Every structure is written in C-alpha cells, then in structure tokens.
Amino acid sequence: MDVVERWSGRYACLLQSALRLGNEQFAAHLGIAVRTVAAWHADSSVMPRREMQQLLDTAHEQAPPAARQRFALLLAKEQPPSDSVPPGAQALRVAIAVVVRESDVLLVCRRDSDAAGITWQFPAGVIKPGGKAETTTVRETLDETGVHCAVRKHLGNRLHPATGVLCEYFLCEYLAGEATNSDTAENIEVMWVPRNAVPRFISVDTIFPPVLAALEEQT
C-alpha cells in the first residue's frame, strides 16, 4: 500500500506508533540502531537514507491490517485542512467496488476485526499514487475475490466515517468468475448476498447513501 512516497522522521515515528513498538523494539524490527530511531523523534524533519526508506516501505507493507489502519488514521490527522498535502506524502485513497449480479451484491469479510469495527464490506483496494480509481476497482476485486467486473458508474466519494480514509465508490457489473477468497491474508470469507440483506452485514449508518440508493434502483 503506497501511502508515503518519501519517509521523514515524522512518518517513521507514526509507523512506530501504529505498530505499537518502543524505540528498541522498532529498531530491532527494522534491523537498525536504536539511536537512529531516537534521532527521528528528536528531529521529525530528517529524511532517512535510501536504504532506510526501503526498510520502512517493507515494514509498512508487512504490517498487520490493524497497524496499517492505525497508520492511515495517524497520517490523515497530519494532513492540513486545505487541499494541499505535505511534500512527499500521498493522501490515502481507496477504491470501493459495489459489484452487482442480478439480485445479489458481492461482499468480503475482513480477517482483522479490529479495523474500526468493520468486518463485512465491499471489495476495496488502495489507489496508488498516480493510479486510476477505476482500474484499481476492477483489479482489486479480481485479486480479492476472483470475480471479473466492469465499472458501470461512479457513485461519488467521501471520507469514511469509521476510518477517515477518502473512499471512491463505483457501481460495478459482474462479468465472470466464481466468488472465492483469493486473499486469505486479508479476508476470511467472500460471498454474494441479496441486495436487500446488505444492512444485515454492514451497519446502514456507515453505508454511503448513494450506494444504498444504487442498490435499491437495481432491485
């Protein structure tokens, strides 16, 4: 998940906090000296060397889903209220696929139950810097569920009420493929559910209203 294009001492400390590790533990986790971690805390503007950048990338990519979620929330709090973002940072954007097949919609069950209370949800994936939301939607759905789909309509975007992440929602049409759990590291289950039963799996208070409207229109 590409969230930070270039790590600073501040972003490294946020990752440490998300992993809930002390200085010595974080240093051991990265395979670096404790004094380096201490230096990041002393000067948050310091830019780690290229080798260190790669270590931080790896630590972030291999972090448990709950830790990545915490990091995303911590990073979001660092963003200024304006439309600008700090140099070197890429605001976290997620593409969400609402895939419909006749009277059913595709859902996945995340393995991590600590993700802000979210368990069942629509297939989703992080939009990499410079990437297209529509392409991410189709690719991540296939990678997660084995289902081929095509984007039918952009339903809008919002900051998710539970995660604070910027979400882009797309109504997608089922094309082919059996729904299978293709990403066992992230998900427990993948299944088609009746559209009118979605609120039984996902709290209606957290569902983006245009998604509910789109599902009702398709019924």
Side-chain angles (χ1 to χ4, degrees):
M1 209 163 44
D2 297 327
V3 178
V4 176
E5 294 180 352
R6 182 167 177 80
W7 293 90
S8 65
R10 179 57 180 163
Y11 294 146
C13 291
L14 291 180
L15 179 60
Q16 177 187 353
S17 178
L19 290 169
R20 294 178 175 168
L21 298 175
N23 285 5
E24 293 185 359
Q25 292 173 310
F26 191 45
H29 185 69
L30 295 175
I32 62 176
V34 178
R35 64 176 179 274
T36 300
V37 176
W40 292 340
H41 285 275
D43 183 1
S44 62
S45 65
V46 67
M47 292 293 177
R49 303 188 313 273
R50 179 183 300 178
E51 298 81 5
M52 206 71 68
Q53 296 277 333
Q54 294 173 345
L55 290 174
L56 289 165
D57 283 342
T58 300
H60 178 257
E61 290 168 1
Q62 296 180 350
R68 293 202 304 272
Q69 183 70 48
R70 287 192 292 269
F71 178 72
L73 294 174
L74 290 171
L75 188 64
K77 293 178 181 178
E78 294 289 305
Q79 307 299 327
S82 64
D83 293 334
S84 63
V85 295
Q90 173 68 39
L92 182 63
R93 296 171 61 219
V94 172
I96 297 180
V98 182
V99 185
V100 295
R101 185 190 66 176
E102 298 180 350
S103 62
D104 295 332
V105 62
L106 188 64
L107 295 182
V108 300
C109 184
R110 294 300 184 201
R111 178 171 297 280
D112 179 31
S113 60
D114 189 33
I118 297 176
T119 302
W120 286 94
Q121 63 183 60
F122 302 104
V126 172
I127 305 168
K128 295 184 177 181
K132 293 184 177 180
E134 293 87 345
T135 302
T136 299
T137 301
V138 172
R139 183 186 65 246
E140 291 296 328
T141 298
L142 178 59
D143 289 347
E144 277 193 314
T145 71
V147 168
H148 294 268
C149 68
V151 172
R152 182 186 299 176
K153 181 170 64 173
H154 182 223
L155 297 175
N157 58 55
R158 66 163 177 174
L159 290 177
H160 197 282
T163 65
V165 171
L166 178 60
C167 299
E168 300 282 351
Y169 293 83
F170 294 91
L171 180 65
C172 299
E173 178 182 1
Y174 168 80
L175 297 179
E178 294 292 329
T180 58
N181 185 9
S182 304
D183 188 355
T184 55
E186 295 280 349
N187 303 325
I188 298 174
E189 184 65 83
V190 172
M191 64 185 295
W192 294 99
V193 304
R195 296 174 197 168
N196 59 8
V198 169
R200 299 179 187 175
F201 294 83
I202 308 175
S203 173
V204 71
D205 294 335
T206 65
I207 300 177
F208 191 36
V211 170
L212 288 174
L215 292 178
E216 291 176 359
E217 289 176 3
Q218 301 299 317
T219 307

